[in-house]
Amino acid sequence: MPLITPWKTAYGSDDAVESVLVRMVSGGVEGWGESCPLGSPTYSPEYAAGVFNVVRDFMGPRILGRAIESGRQLQDRLGCFKGNPFARAALDVAWWDLHARREGQPLWRLIGGVSPSIDVGTALGVAQSVDKLIDNVRQAVDAGFKRVKLKYCPGWETSIVESVKQAFPKLVVHVDCNCAYTLDDLPMFERLDQLGLAMIEQPLGYGDLVDHAELQRRITTPICLDESIASPRDAQQAIKLGSCRWINIKPARVGGLTEALKIHDICQQAGVPCWVGSMLESGVGTSVLVALGTLPNMKYPGDILPGDKLYERDLASPAIRLSDPARITAPAIPGIGCAPDPQQLTSMTTERIVLEA
Ligand code: MG
């Protein structure tokens, strides 16, 4: 799916997004799942072609033709496979949509959402210049977004935050480092700590919990973990170690909606607030993020970007739109509330496989 603007972060620049969609059918009802690991293993060890192969060769055949009554049962069937949360998620999320449609219930209500309408924030990638970034922030503020996240990496650091804070002193701002730093960068984090950020997202390495705990002891700005949390167990250990004060939940990164719900509950019990993150999914995957955002321990506006802001053409039909400048409402119809538009899907598909029981 070609992006309107290339997405620049600490790990690279993406002009297009590669995603895996699963259509799961049972008893004449279909459900859709999407897992969007990006085209290369830069955000995490997984990538779209790899996820496709793992679903086709290993995980799909494990659940084909089985009666599966819960997301947990599906996860247990896949329990013999190590890691690969994005592949697991493609099937898990499709199961949840299928289940909600069979139950005749909107997904957000089925998973325990408290209100269908949620706040969303905006995320701004690395810009060509600080002036361009200030323009982008101004557009976001004018559009009504109540918080702005700035991608942050070597060469695009403290001075950009100072400029944004100077221009918009009251705006809620946080930075996302996408694993770009180590504890050797402590002096930079101590300077950043003075700037009143809402949080610092994933400052240190992918998968790290121990150094994050050390950094969190040295700064007062809350750390939010993203890439380091790939399972409920990671969330439990991060809380135990004091590695963060926020957790960003992305269903695809943690193995699906079943695991996302579990992490939500673990965090809620521990008094650690959460919020929803995005992998630049099409509208199909985004609709699951919206449902997740309706849960009670989601305490910060989500990174939920409607497809028309990201893509020249989005996949979802009906399209997901902001209901208010910075709010989005989960649909009242059964399931995730949308499906891929068949024509768009055909035009963008590079590979497809059918598994039949
Ligand atoms: Mg992040």
Side-chain angles (χ1 to χ4, degrees):
M1 297 180 285
L3 291 162
I4 296 170
T5 317
W7 185 242
K8 281 193 190 165
T9 65
Y11 54 77
S13 177
D14 289 283
D15 300 333
V17 162
E18 293 184 34
S19 200
V20 177
L21 286 115
V22 170
R23 172 176 172 264
M24 192 180 282
V25 183
S26 180
V29 181
E30 66 174 34
W32 284 90
E34 178 176 5
S35 185
C36 186
L38 304 179
S40 58
T42 46
Y43 168 81
S44 88
E46 289 179 274
Y47 60 104
V51 166
F52 183 87
N53 289 350
V54 170
V55 169
R56 179 193 61 200
D57 297 341
F58 303 106
M59 294 186 179
R62 275 288 290 174
I63 60 166
L64 205 59
R66 298 273 168 174
I68 292 176
E69 309 294 336
S70 68
R72 183 51 53 202
Q73 225 177 62
L74 180 134
Q75 292 287 337
D76 288 346
R77 282 292 302 163
L78 302 180
C80 56
F81 303 116
K82 306 292 183 289
N84 289 281
F86 279 86
R88 206 176 293 271
L91 294 167
D92 179 278
V93 173
W95 181 87
W96 275 99
D97 183 35
L98 175 61
H99 176 58
R101 288 178 202 242
R102 284 169 60 102
E103 295 288 310
Q105 282 215 53
L107 182 63
W108 72 271
R109 197 174 289 148
L110 192 69
I111 63 173
V114 284
S115 158
S117 178
I118 59 169
D119 277 329
V120 299
T122 195
L124 301 174
V126 175
Q128 284 147 348
S129 65
V130 177
D131 286 346
K132 179 68 187 142
L133 177 69
I134 299 287
D135 274 357
N136 293 344
V137 175
R138 183 163 292 117
Q139 277 178 28
V141 170
D142 291 349
F145 289 103
K146 291 173 194 74
R147 70 95 176 143
V148 168
K149 150 170 159 176
L150 308 174
K151 289 293 186 182
Y152 190 88
C153 58
W156 189 250
E157 286 174 319
T158 1
S159 65
I160 64 143
V161 180
E162 283 164 350
S163 304
V164 169
K165 282 301 236 180
Q166 227 161 39
F168 307 95
K170 288 191 185 147
L171 183 64
V172 177
V173 178
H174 87 266
V175 296
D176 185 359
C177 309
N178 288 107
C179 314
Y181 297 94
T182 69
L183 282 180
D184 292 344
D185 299 298
L186 186 61
M188 184 278 292
F189 286 114
E190 284 169 345
R191 287 199 302 281
L192 199 56
D193 201 23
Q194 307 303 314
L195 299 180
L197 293 172
M199 61 186 81
I200 299 174
E201 189 177 337
Q202 193 69 34
L204 311 179
Y206 160 82
D208 171 79
L209 297 177
V210 173
D211 285 357
H212 278 106
E214 165 85 22
L215 180 61
Q216 184 66 94
R217 280 194 294 275
R218 308 283 282 268
I219 58 173
T220 54
T221 309
I223 289 177
C224 170
L225 288 182
D226 175 344
E227 284 93 332
S228 281
I229 308 296
S231 67
R233 185 166 180 268
D234 289 341
Q236 269 162 341
Q237 298 201 332
I239 292 168
K240 209 166 162 181
L241 287 168
S243 313
C244 63
R245 295 193 194 133
W246 284 88
I247 287 183
N248 165 303
I249 307 184
K250 300 176 179 173
R253 189 195 70 228
V254 302
L257 190 53
T258 305
E259 304 298 48
L261 297 172
K262 193 166 170 188
I263 292 174
H264 169 273
D265 294 350
I266 289 168
C267 289
Q268 190 174 31
Q269 276 159 24
V272 172
C274 301
W275 57 286
V276 178
S278 155
M279 286 302 304
L280 308 183
E281 292 90 343
S282 79
V284 176
T286 299
S287 61
V288 178
L289 307 183
V290 176
L292 191 61
T294 67
L295 296 180
N297 195 40
M298 294 299 181
K299 305 285 195 190
Y300 189 70
D303 269 349
I304 297 173
L305 311 169
D308 61 337
K309 305 271 185 257
L310 287 175
Y311 297 112
E312 285 153 26
R313 295 171 299 148
D314 188 21
L315 271 183
S317 172
I320 296 201
R321 295 273 181 266
L322 296 174
S323 50
D324 196 278
R327 288 181 79 76
I328 202 158
T329 302
I333 57 175
I336 59 173
C338 66
D341 173 82
Q343 253 182 345
Q344 295 286 17
L345 185 62
T346 306
S347 74
M348 289 190 230
T349 298
T350 56
E351 200 170 350
R352 107 187 246 280
I353 182 93
V354 178
L355 301 174
E356 275 178 290

